[in-house]
Amino acid sequence: MTLPADFIEQIHTLLDAPEATAFLDALQGDSTVSIRLNRRKVSDMPLPGEPVPWCASGCYLAERPSFTFDPLLHAGGYYVQEASSMFVAWVLRHYVGDAPVRMLDLCAAPGGKSTLACDVLPAGSVLVANEVVRSRAQVLAENLTKWGNPGVVVTHNDPADFASLGALFDVILVDAPCSGEGMFRKDPASAKEWSLESLALCARRQRRILADILPCLKPGGILIYSTCTYNIKEDEENVRWLRDEQGMEIHPVPDVPDEWGITGNLLPGEDFPVYRFLPHRTKGEGFFLALLRKPVDAEEVQEPAGRKAHRKGRGKPDAPVFPKEAAAKAKSWLDDGKEYVWEVKGAFLTALPTAVASLTEHLRPSLRILQAGIPVGEVKGRDLLPQHALAMSTDLHPEAFSRVEVDYDQAIAYLRREAVGLPADAPRGFVLLTWRGLPLGFVKNIGNRANNLYPQEWRIRKQS
């Protein structure tokens, strides 16, 4: 890989000569491969590789397999995530208590940190995962659906759209769009697009994003600011700006052992705590993180007057005209030990955990909501068609559907949305296919064939 001359010069200004040489040599090596297990789905599965020190469910793989053709990935059993970014789990575990919180992952696609937050946040919490780019927002929704946590709202908005909501969130994660220096080893083509001009543009955009979203953070709430880059303009200088211009307090992350090789502040004349993952010191790609808190006595931004009245008549769910028999059946498909608010939109029925329903009602007038809670069923003719999100949900009642375990070839055929043969004694109607006991999705068995109900837009197109 040929690195830009300006980038090499920049590294030599940040690190002394031996460190800079070691760093640049590391960038010419192979990138690491790491995954994070979904412990709500594969609670007993041992880690298939060397553990990631700062994330109990993460591990490094010795080589990169063909993830596309692993049914376990499509079933939400694990997520392919860069190891350094899993450090967010360590931060959340130390700064979020046992009480439920509202968290916003502002720049969330493709969903690695959002699925991680789902695992770490206390029970009853709600995560809003947002992405401004429509195509990436759809990928975000897919990955969160597969992860199966019901306490999630997926939105598709610019950061400025949130500002009028007031101080709504206890935790905000801004994994800011950046110049991507930390991805050079993983994606060498990105090095060709790098320039000092694009770096400066990214730094300005990051400040705009941060300024737009800070009014949504509650006094005393925490902001996690991260990038996948190395330069101080997008990293330490933005953290200093948050402190000096926005009044944020910079806090350390406790209990970070020296042996993890995480590097600190590189900004001359400053020693506030930040966390840098450099490839010659830590096993992973480039990552930067800082933890900040809004002062407890900060002035809280209120909703504009009259907004609540405006909300009352806008964005309400359709009148509940869902057939009673279908609604009763849908409710039997979910965990009967939990409470949901049921929302009807046309032929679709969605189950919202109560905390999700409350927050969604607040968000709906201002934001484009792509998905919230658990899309459960759709009325089609005389059938109540179970949604794929129901199959993926960790709130699916284990005895709601008959299950048929499939072999590898059948699983891949199903994920390609091809015909799947069922045993002669398989029950008629909706059947849940499983791979190694984990739900893959639904088919409708009509006797002579089984109709494949896997989402058309998610099917595997790649040839093996």
Side-chain angles (χ1 to χ4, degrees), residues 373-423:
I374 311 166
V376 174
E378 176 190 7
V379 171
K380 280 197 171 182
R382 296 182 179 180
D383 275 336
L384 175 62
L385 182 69
Q387 298 294 283
H388 188 74
L390 176 67
M392 296 290 97
S393 178
T394 55
D395 277 9
L396 174 67
H397 195 292
E399 298 178 1
F401 297 91
S402 299
R403 300 186 176 210
V404 171
E405 179 77 4
V406 295
D407 61 25
Y408 178 79
D409 290 338
Q410 289 174 309
I412 295 301
Y414 176 74
L415 294 168
R416 288 189 183 278
R417 215 170 187 274
E418 298 171 353
V420 178
L422 298 183

Side-chain angles (χ1 to χ4, degrees), residues 230-281:
Y230 303 116
N231 67 81
I232 58 175
K233 286 189 178 297
E234 296 178 84
D235 294 344
E236 283 94 342
E237 288 188 9
N238 275 347
V239 176
R240 181 173 63 184
W241 173 83
L242 282 165
R243 180 195 66 188
D244 296 348
E245 302 297 327
Q246 302 296 320
M248 297 291 287
E249 301 168 347
I250 307 170
H251 283 256
V253 177
D255 304 326
V256 177
D258 292 340
E259 55 265 29
W260 288 357
I262 299 173
T263 304
N265 199 315
L266 296 180
L267 182 62
E270 294 283 4
D271 62 355
F272 53 77
V274 298
Y275 303 85
R276 285 178 164 273
F277 291 71
L278 304 180
H280 67 296
R281 286 180 168 268

Side-chain angles (χ1 to χ4, degrees), residues 351-363:
L352 303 171
T354 53
V356 173
S358 175
L359 182 56
T360 301
E361 185 65 15
H362 195 92
L363 300 176

Side-chain angles (χ1 to χ4, degrees), residues 322-369:
F322 212 75
K324 291 183 179 180
E325 299 80 3
K329 181 185 292 186
K331 292 176 182 179
S332 72
W333 292 344
L334 289 177
D335 188 330
D336 53 13
K338 297 185 178 180
E339 293 185 3
Y340 308 93
V341 174
W342 292 86
E343 186 173 281
V344 174
K345 288 190 176 180
F348 292 89
L349 185 65
T350 298
L352 303 171
T354 53
V356 173
S358 175
L359 182 56
T360 301
E361 185 65 15
H362 195 92
L363 300 176
R364 188 173 278 121
S366 299
L367 304 181
R368 290 184 292 272
I369 296 176

